[in-house]
C-alpha cells in the first residue's frame, strides 16, 4: 500500500474524477489508515511504498504491476498522468528482489487492476485501459490461460472495478460492465458468480480485498452481505468514499504480493 499523503484530484482520466470535487485530505488519511488497520487485523502483513508529491494516483498500488510467483509484470499506463509511477514502483520491486518483467513496447497494461486470477485462469480487462494484444503476450510470458474481457462502461474501466474473484470458483461481478461474450465466458468459467446490482457496483463493491474468507469493501448492502454469508464469507465494510472520487476503492489501494486468495498458484507454491 502507498500512504495517501499526496492523493488528490489533479486531473481527470476516468468519469469519477472531477477537479471541482476535491478530496478531503484528513478524511482520506483516516479512511486509508482504517483500511490498513482492518487488513492487519484480518491477518495481512502490509508493506508500504513511499508516496511521491507529483503522483497523486500512486496510492492505487493495484496498478503497479501484476504479481505471479516471484515475478512482477510492470504496468505501462495509458495516460501520461500516471506513467511517472513506473520508475518509482520498479525501483521498489527491484529493491525487494523481485524478477521484473515488462510487456512489449507500445502496449498498455495496468497491472492487477486489469488482470485477476480465478483458479488457474487469468481474467483480464481491455479496451478502456489495457490493450488486448498485450494480454496475449502476458499469457505466453507466464504460461497461463488468459481470458480477455472487453470493458464497455467507462465507469468500470479496470476489471477490478466490476469483477472480484473470492476463491477458485466463486466471484462477484457486475454483468453490465461486460459485453455479451464476456458475460457468457465468465458464466461458463466461474462456477459460482454473484451478480451485484447497479447501486452496489457504483459503490465499487466489486473492488474488494479478500483475506481468507473475509471480504473488505466500501459499504455493502444487506443483500450482498447475505449472499456472501451464504457462501461462508464475512463482509467488512469500511468507508472509502474519498477514494471513490478518483474511481478507486479497497482493492485498488492494495497489491497482493503473495497471490490473490482465488489464484490456484498461490496454494501450489
Ligand atoms: N484515478 C485512478 C485511475 O483512473 C484510479 C485507479 C484505480 N485503480 C484500480 N485498480 N481500479 O487510473
Amino acid at each position: 500500500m502507498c500512504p495517501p499523503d499526496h492523493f488528490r484530484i489533479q486531473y481527470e482520466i476516468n468519469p469519477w474524477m472531477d477537479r471541482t470535487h476535491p478530496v478531503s485530505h484528513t478524511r482520506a488519511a483516516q479512511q486509508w489508515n482504517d483500511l490498513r488497520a482492518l487488513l492487519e487485523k484480518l491477518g495481512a502483513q502490509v508493506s508500504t511504498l513511499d508516496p511521491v508529491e507529483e503522483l497523486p494516483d500512486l496510492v492505487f498500488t493495484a496498478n503497479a504491476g501484476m504479481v505471479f510467483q516471484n515475478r512482477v509484470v510492470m504496468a505501462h499506463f495509458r495516460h501520461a498522468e500516471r506513467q511517472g509511477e513506473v520508475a518509482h514502483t520498479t525501483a521498489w520491486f527491484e529493491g525487494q528482489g523481485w524478477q521484473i518483467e515488462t510487456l512489449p513496447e507500445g502496449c498498455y497494461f495496468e497491472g492487477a487492476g486489469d488482470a485477476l486470477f480465478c483458479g488457474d485462469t487469468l481474467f483480464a480487462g481491455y479496451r478502456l485501459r489495457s490493450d488486448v494484444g498485450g494480454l496475449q503476450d502476458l499469457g505466453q510470458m507466464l504460461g497461463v490461460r488468459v481470458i480477455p474481457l472487453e470493458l464497455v462502461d467507462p465507469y468500470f474501466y479496470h476489471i477490478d472495478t466490476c469483477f472480484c474473484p473470492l476463491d477458485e470458483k466463486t466471484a462477484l461481478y457486475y454483468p453490465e460492465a461486460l459485453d455479451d461474450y464476456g458475460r457468457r465466458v465468465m458464466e461458463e468459467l466461474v462456477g459460482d458468480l454473484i451478480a451485484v446490482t447497479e447501486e452496489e457496483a457504483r459503490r465499487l463493491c466489486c473492488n474488494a480485498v479478500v483475506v481468507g474468507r473475509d471480504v473488505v469493501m466500501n459499504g455493502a448492502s444487506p443483500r450482498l452481505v447475505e449472499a456472501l454469508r451464504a457462501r461462508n464469507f464475512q463482509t467488512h465494510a469500511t468507508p472509502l468514499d474519498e477514494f471513490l472520487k478518483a474511481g478507486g476503492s479497497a482493492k485498488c489501494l492494495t497489491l497482493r504480493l503473495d497471490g490473490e486468495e482465488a489464484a490456484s498458484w498461490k496454494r501450489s507454491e
Side-chain angles (χ1 to χ4, degrees):
M1 297 178 74
C2 172
D5 303 21
H6 306 296
F7 172 60
R8 60 195 180 278
I9 311 297
Q10 183 173 306
Y11 45 76
E12 296 167 5
I13 58 170
N14 69 50
W16 303 78
M17 302 175 93
D18 178 346
R19 273 168 294 182
T20 67
H21 290 148
V23 162
S24 152
H25 182 71
T26 322
R27 292 193 77 230
Q30 184 66 52
Q31 293 181 351
W32 188 92
N33 285 327
D34 289 349
L35 172 65
R36 177 183 180 159
L38 177 56
L39 295 175
E40 286 176 336
K41 198 184 93 189
L42 297 174
Q45 191 190 319
V46 177
S47 309
T48 55
L49 171 73
D50 288 337
V52 177
E53 160 101 62
E54 313 76 66
L55 301 171
D57 276 339
L58 190 61
V59 71
F60 297 115
T61 49
N63 299 121
M66 203 215 84
V67 166
F68 182 68
Q69 294 162 349
N70 61 335
R71 302 156 81 181
V72 54
V73 185
M74 300 308 297
H76 178 192
F77 288 95
R78 181 172 293 274
H79 297 97
E81 289 88 340
R82 294 199 68 183
Q83 287 169 359
E85 294 178 28
V86 180
H88 194 66
T89 50
T90 303
W92 188 92
F93 279 106
E94 274 168 358
Q96 309 274 324
W98 287 74
Q99 184 180 324
I100 310 284
E101 311 274 6
T102 47
L103 288 173
E105 195 61 36
C107 67
Y108 298 121
F109 174 61
E110 300 205 352
D114 260 339
L116 296 171
F117 277 97
C118 191
D120 55 9
T121 301
L122 189 62
F123 291 86
Y126 73 91
R127 190 161 81 92
L128 297 171
R129 294 297 179 87
S130 301
D131 286 326
V132 69
L135 299 179
Q136 295 310 339
D137 293 311
L138 181 65
Q140 263 164 28
M141 181 188 271
L142 305 178
V144 300
R145 171 167 75 162
V146 176
I147 302 294
L149 296 159
E150 184 168 354
L151 302 177
V152 300
D153 181 335
Y155 275 94
F156 303 98
Y157 54 92
H158 282 137
I159 192 97
D160 73 355
T161 61
C162 56
F163 176 57
C164 180
L166 300 171
D167 64 22
E168 288 182 41
K169 52 174 190 356
T170 316
L172 294 174
Y173 84 133
Y174 178 49
E176 277 72 27
L178 304 170
D179 62 7
D180 286 344
Y181 167 82
R183 276 195 289 270
R184 232 178 317 125
V185 181
M186 212 174 254
E187 280 156 19
E188 228 165 82
L189 298 177
V190 182
D192 187 8
L193 266 182
I194 307 167
V196 306
T197 63
E198 182 182 356
E199 203 212 318
E200 291 158 351
R202 293 255 168 187
R203 273 195 255 167
L204 289 180
C205 286
C206 290
N207 199 252
V209 181
V210 185
V211 184
R213 304 302 286 186
D214 293 297
V215 183
V216 175
M217 61 175 74
N218 164 59
S221 61
R223 182 205 77 88
L224 188 53
V225 172
E226 177 50 30
L228 289 169
R229 199 207 51 77
R231 290 154 174 98
N232 201 26
F233 286 100
Q234 195 187 337
T235 308
H236 303 263
T238 189
L240 290 163
D241 46 279
E242 291 302 326
F243 298 95
L244 260 68
K245 291 176 180 171
S249 189
K251 179 57 194 278
C252 307
L253 290 168
T254 65
L255 179 63
R256 183 81 184 242
L257 298 173
D258 59 345
E260 304 285 348
E261 291 298 334
S264 53
W265 60 265
K266 176 196 169 76
R267 291 179 189 87
S268 57
E269 274 295 86

